[in-house]
Amino acid sequence: MVTGIAASMADPVVVAYDGREGIDLPWPAQYLLWTQYPGGARKAGPSRHRLTAVPRLFTLLDGLSRRSLRVIGDTEWHDSPAVYQEAIDNVPKAAFSPDAHCWWNTQAAGRLPHLLSMARSDAASTREQAQRAQAPWR
């Protein structure tokens, strides 16, 4: 039973983080979070908004009353930080303004999975083009 619970906590989920909020993790754990699981980041004023995949455990440790790491969807570990960067770069700039509500609750909520899908397609296309350039006879 314990093994099953531990395995489910290691499953990756895509999370969005609004840099205007705090994460209920000690600072060293936050540093480890963003270093160990790099993704896309977008600076807006003093805030740094992020989009990446992390083990589900981080979302459970992020405080019971305030969840700063918003789960956007399930994923697999094959996405690169460049995919998340492209997806977050395509979120409308207005969603990061200081006057806007948390950006995943507005335009981004329904759009992020679509933006991630488009970013994955673009990354796959770029990989295929690079492979063709290296071996054009394929």
Side-chain angles (χ1 to χ4, degrees), residues 41-134:
R42 191 152 164 195
K43 196 149 175 61
S47 304
R48 192 172 190 84
H49 305 268
R50 297 178 185 269
L51 178 68
T52 194
V54 298
R56 188 177 298 277
L57 178 63
F58 277 100
T59 65
L60 299 176
L61 295 175
D62 178 36
L64 297 174
S65 61
R66 181 183 66 202
R67 297 233 184 255
S68 299
L69 298 174
R70 305 296 172 156
V71 176
I72 301 300
D74 294 331
T75 187
E76 295 179 14
W77 291 117
H78 60 78
D79 286 326
S80 69
V83 168
Y84 294 111
Q85 188 63 54
E86 184 172 344
I88 201 170
D89 284 345
N90 283 296
V91 173
K93 186 177 181 181
F96 298 99
S97 76
D99 302 327
H101 294 290
C102 294
W103 57 274
W104 56 79
N105 290 331
T106 57
Q107 299 108 325
R111 290 186 40 132
L112 271 175
H114 175 69
L115 293 175
L116 271 173
S117 177
M118 287 179 22
R120 287 175 186 138
S121 296
D122 290 348
S125 175
T126 302
R127 272 194 310 272
E128 288 173 9
Q129 289 175 359
Q131 288 171 348
R132 273 192 231 118
Q134 289 176 350

Side-chain angles (χ1 to χ4, degrees), residues 33-48:
L33 173 70
W34 303 126
T35 305
Q36 186 70 29
Y37 303 99
R42 191 152 164 195
K43 196 149 175 61
S47 304
R48 192 172 190 84

